[in-house]
Amino acid sequence: MPTESGSCSTARQAKQKRKSHSLSIRRTNSSEQERTGLPRDMLEGQDSKLPSSVRSTLLELFGQIEREFENLYIENLELRREIETLNERLAAEGQVIDGTELSKGQLKTKASHSTSQLSQKLKTTYKASTSKITQLCCGASRQGGASLSTLAMWGQQICGEDEVECSDKDEPDVDGDVSSDCPTIRVPLTSLKSHQGVVIAADWLVGGKQAVTASWDRTANLYDVETAELVHSLTGHDQELTHCCTHPTQRLVVTSSRDTTFRLWDFRDPSIHSVNVFQGHTDTVTSAVFTVGDNVVSGSDDRTVKVWDLKNMRSPIATIRTDSAINRINVCVGQKIIALPHDNRQVRLFDMSGVRLARLPRSSRQGHRRMVCCSAWSEDHPTCNLFTCGFDRQAIGWNINIPALLQEK
């Protein structure tokens, strides 16, 4: 008995010693974090050869990145708990419905349909939260980063009052293997190298001899394509550029940016290169495009699309308000119909006066399953006159009955 008591006493003392040691470590760490008077580089070590100002800036930026990822991680955990709760509730409801038990396939279909909305919410939350990380890290493009691995061709479209219906008789097998007979081009004819950041957009200037590019380095460049030489560097935006577009018949360029502005660049007079700044939005201007004539259409993350007259750009001639952020828009040149791709998987069609003409399907079988990032009209194509692409790795071709849309208006 005395021997057992002595061993217990020795073990208790050792345990208290370890506990006291661990507590002292925690107190030491917290005290270092509270010593705001010391520079951060003193806490990180003294072996760096970087200047103190540069090192302090780097530490601050990495701290911001860490906080953003921490917020994303917390939101991810909360959304996962919501999904698990929903699955448990569906499983409980699926045990007995109308006196019969749901099959495993039916229950899975119902659960997947309900959780898709939560997945969309998670994606939208990530998009908004990672915008700051994008500025710090300069990662992949939000709108241009979707890989178009499949091309879905849809059948004849029938215009309705609100939503364009689509036939699924020609629905392709999106999981099929890509044909190996497709040729691969590995060597470019010309390389335009002057940007210091991600190139997010490019367009041909009228005449086809010059091209303009937009980049995350806050500049747009005008190149001579034949010589690959930089003709002009268009500077002035305060943040990353999101898009650039050229006028179909005149030497005009419009660029949009995350600084909530878009700029009009005039190259019609070789001796004068004027620029005008327009502040019509309250959030990132995701795209600005020309139409035939004297109009510019701009779309923004502030959930609005605005139509401007080049002759009087002080206020828009039409404003379209939506329930979701707008990505890269495109205007049908002949009929002046605007295609709006949204974050919420929808694609809406409007005329230049702001009247909604139709909404394309967004079901799992007839539309995009994730954010739609871009739209493009192809008016001369006999089968598909509108293409959209999204984060679901699909480019979908639509046949829009434009005369019926305009007649119903």
Side-chain angles (χ1 to χ4, degrees):
M1 292 297 293
T3 303
E4 294 179 358
S5 176
S7 61
C8 292
S9 177
T10 303
R12 188 182 303 107
Q13 292 177 358
K15 182 176 180 181
Q16 292 178 351
K17 184 178 181 180
R18 288 195 301 270
K19 183 176 181 182
S20 176
H21 180 65
S22 62
L23 288 175
S24 65
I25 292 176
R26 283 194 290 269
R27 285 196 299 269
T28 302
N29 291 338
S30 62
S31 62
E32 287 182 353
Q33 294 176 358
E34 294 173 356
R35 291 161 61 186
T36 57
L38 290 177
R40 293 185 61 182
D41 56 351
M42 295 183 63
L43 300 177
E44 300 292 338
Q46 301 291 340
D47 55 347
S48 177
K49 297 181 180 180
L50 293 175
S52 59
S53 59
V54 175
R55 197 149 180 265
S56 177
T57 302
L58 288 175
L59 291 175
E60 181 180 357
L61 292 176
F62 283 122
Q64 295 180 18
I65 295 174
E66 182 180 2
R67 287 192 294 271
E68 290 293 334
F69 275 109
E70 183 180 1
N71 293 334
L72 291 178
Y73 179 74
I74 295 174
E75 293 175 359
N76 189 11
L77 292 180
E78 294 177 354
L79 290 174
R80 285 181 180 274
R81 283 195 293 267
E82 292 182 11
I83 293 175
E84 292 175 358
T85 303
L86 177 61
N87 287 334
E88 293 176 358
R89 188 175 62 192
L90 290 176
E93 294 176 354
Q95 292 178 357
V96 177
I97 294 182
D98 295 335
T100 60
E101 185 171 325
L102 277 178
S103 63
K104 182 178 180 180
Q106 291 173 324
L107 184 58
K108 181 178 179 181
T109 302
K110 185 178 180 181
S112 62
H113 175 72
S114 301
T115 55
S116 64
Q117 298 179 354
L118 288 177
S119 300
Q120 182 68 20
K121 179 182 178 182
L122 178 63
K123 182 271 303 175
T124 305
T125 304
Y126 276 9
K127 176 189 172 184
S129 301
T130 54
S131 60
K132 295 181 181 179
I133 300 177
T134 301
Q135 298 178 17
L136 298 175
C137 301
C138 286
S141 168
R142 173 176 69 84
Q143 296 178 352
S147 66
L148 308 180
S149 62
T150 59
L151 175 61
M153 304 294 292
W154 296 91
Q156 179 68 30
Q157 305 293 321
I158 302 175
C159 298
E161 295 181 357
D162 188 19
E163 180 172 310
V164 175
E165 299 178 356
C166 128
S167 171
D168 59 353
K169 60 182 180 181
D170 295 328
E171 183 176 352
D173 182 8
V174 297
D175 295 329
D177 295 333
V178 179
S179 174
S180 59
D181 298 334
C182 180
T184 302
I185 300 176
R186 301 184 183 276
V187 181
L189 295 177
T190 304
S191 296
L192 309 178
K193 301 179 180 179
S194 291
H195 285 294
Q196 304 300 319
V198 173
V199 178
I200 195 65
D203 199 3
W204 290 98
L205 205 63
V206 58
K209 295 183 179 180
Q210 293 180 329
V212 61
T213 58
S215 172
W216 283 5
D217 61 9
R218 305 183 182 184
T219 67
N221 288 342
L222 182 64
Y223 295 93
D224 186 309
V225 178
E226 295 180 355
T227 62
E229 293 182 355
L230 177 63
V231 180
H232 294 290
S233 181
L234 314 180
T235 61
H237 282 290
D238 295 331
Q239 295 188 33
E240 295 88 345
L241 273 66
T242 58
H243 190 230
C244 66
C245 181
T246 60
H247 195 279
T249 60
Q250 303 183 56
R251 292 177 59 83
L252 298 173
V253 177
V254 62
T255 57
S256 57
S257 171
R258 292 177 56 88
D259 61 9
T260 72
T261 70
F262 64 95
R263 294 178 176 237
L264 179 64
W265 311 82
D266 190 348
F267 297 99
R268 290 175 292 186
D269 190 342
S271 61
I272 302 175
H273 302 138
S274 62
V275 57
N276 295 303
V277 183
F278 305 102
Q279 300 176 343
H281 293 279
T282 59
D283 206 338
T284 298
V285 182
T286 54
S287 61
V289 299
F290 289 102
T291 66
V292 173
D294 297 325
N295 294 121
V296 174
V297 183
S298 61
S300 172
D301 278 346
D302 63 7
R303 304 181 180 182
T304 66
V305 173
K306 298 188 177 184
V307 183
W308 308 80
D309 188 349
L310 286 175
K311 299 178 181 178
N312 183 9
M313 297 285 288
R314 287 177 294 182
S315 61
I317 60 177
T319 299
I320 302 171
R321 303 187 184 278
T322 67
D323 58 353
S324 179
I326 295 110
N327 296 313
R328 193 162 293 182
I329 61 178
N330 196 256
V331 180
C332 178
V333 176
Q335 303 296 335
K336 295 185 178 180
I337 298 178
I338 312 170
L340 309 184
H342 291 281
D343 282 2
N344 61 1
R345 300 178 292 143
Q346 288 188 352
V347 180
R348 293 186 175 98
L349 305 180
F350 286 81
D351 65 7
M352 296 290 289
S353 61
V355 177
R356 190 174 78 169
L357 303 177
R359 183 185 65 197
L360 303 188
R362 64 170 184 173
S363 63
S364 59
R365 296 173 61 248
Q366 295 182 340
H368 288 285
R369 297 187 296 272
R370 295 186 182 179
M371 178 177 65
V372 189
C373 59
C374 187
S375 62
W377 287 96
S378 177
E379 301 176 61
D380 297 332
H381 199 283
T383 304
C384 298
N385 54 3
L386 176 64
F387 285 85
T388 59
C389 60
F391 274 33
D392 55 1
R393 300 186 299 171
Q394 289 193 96
I396 301 179
W398 308 87
N399 190 311
I400 307 300
N401 192 341
I402 296 179
L405 284 179
L406 298 178
Q407 184 177 3
E408 291 182 0
K409 183 182 71 170

